[in-house]
Amino acid sequence: MSYDVSCEDLVLCVNDGPNHVTGEPVPLVRGETYRVYYVFEYMCPCGRSDALIDVGVGWAWCQSRFRLLPKPKKRVETRKTEAPREIEKVS
């Protein structure tokens, strides 16, 4: 593959042109972000990529239709915690 895509990655649709083989319109939207459900290591009939990507829309699409988005950075949040209260014993 031209880049490594795995399950749960986010990809950006950059090509919403007609189907490479049949010429039919595709249900993908250019500029839309999709989550990868599965990667099929299979040569696309168009010859542009060596993987088909399942993004939950239709069947599987040529990898050349998408660009891999960077993984979101994990945010570190500090939580305010209260110290335990000291209890005095009353006799």
Side-chain angles (χ1 to χ4, degrees), residues 23-38:
E24 296 176 7
V26 299
L28 301 172
V29 178
R30 183 181 302 190
E32 193 77 23
T33 303
Y34 297 94
R35 182 169 304 278
V36 176
Y37 293 112
Y38 194 78

Side-chain angles (χ1 to χ4, degrees), residues 46 82 88 91:
C46 71
E82 295 181 17
E88 293 182 20
S91 14

Side-chain angles (χ1 to χ4, degrees), residues 31-67:
E32 193 77 23
T33 303
Y34 297 94
R35 182 169 304 278
V36 176
Y37 293 112
Y38 194 78
V39 178
F40 299 96
E41 302 291 334
Y42 180 77
M43 182 66 112
C44 183
C46 71
R48 297 180 197 167
S49 71
D50 57 355
L52 298 175
I53 300 175
D54 180 11
V55 292
V57 177
W59 178 240
W61 302 100
C62 179
Q63 180 184 6
S64 66
R65 291 186 179 271
F66 303 97
R67 295 294 173 260

